[in-house]
Amino acid sequence: MARWKALPEELDPEVREFAEQLRRLVDRSGLSIAAVSDHTGYSKTSWERYLNGRILAPKRAVVALAEVTGTSPVHLTTLWELAERAWSRAEARHDRTMEQIRISQAREALGGYESAGGGGPGGPGGRSGAAGGGRPPYGEQPAHV
């Protein structure tokens, strides 16, 4: 059985290269993930996530790994900086995508409300204020209060 799981297909190439470099360092050191955890102060679960490309290792963890494996941190931190930029770009794309999904869902929900309410705000059954028989606009009190 292979030591490492396949990295996620959607990983940015720079993040993939970085994760692969971390894996090579661990392999060359001969240390188990538990030993890496003990020597770096980061949990075994965290290292599993870093080495499997699920989250980006913090820079301090990378420097600690370099020290534990006797590697110069300069090259490794340069790779980390490139991976961190790529990771940030991917998160920004994900955030924009999720925002678009939420907007679409809100529009769909509003469309269902308008259909059920008979035409949306101001229309028959819509929210045209207390005088129109519907609820008053947000922040306004009903006339009887």
Side-chain angles (χ1 to χ4, degrees):
M1 182 173 146
R3 177 172 178 158
W4 305 112
K5 294 178 183 178
L7 291 169
E9 290 292 322
E10 66 274 6
L11 272 184
D12 181 280
E14 289 173 327
V15 176
R16 178 177 298 279
E17 179 184 351
F18 177 68
E20 289 171 348
Q21 180 64 30
L22 293 179
R23 287 176 169 192
R24 281 190 292 274
L25 283 175
V26 172
D27 284 343
R28 277 190 239 139
S29 73
L31 296 171
S32 67
I33 295 176
V36 169
S37 171
D38 290 343
H39 287 85
T40 61
Y42 289 83
S43 73
K44 181 181 174 199
T45 302
S46 293
W47 276 111
E48 288 169 345
R49 290 176 181 153
Y50 307 152
L51 296 166
N52 287 315
R54 292 190 2 231
I55 60 174
L56 186 66
K59 190 173 186 178
R60 295 179 88 176
V62 173
V63 170
L65 180 64
E67 290 172 1
V68 166
T69 59
T71 305
S72 169
V74 175
H75 177 68
L76 202 53
T77 56
T78 299
L79 286 176
W80 177 86
E81 289 169 1
L82 295 171
E84 195 277 331
R85 285 186 205 132
W87 192 275
S88 294
R89 285 190 306 268
E91 282 184 338
R93 283 191 303 272
H94 176 74
D95 289 347
R96 284 193 303 273
T97 300
M98 293 308 295
E99 181 179 5
Q100 289 301 321
I101 290 169
R102 285 190 294 274
I103 289 169
S104 295
Q105 289 171 338
R107 284 183 177 149
E108 288 174 13
L110 182 59
Y113 170 76
E114 288 175 356
S115 298
R127 291 175 40 166
S128 58
R135 293 182 10 200
Y138 181 76
E140 292 184 22
Q141 294 295 320
H144 66 276
V145 172

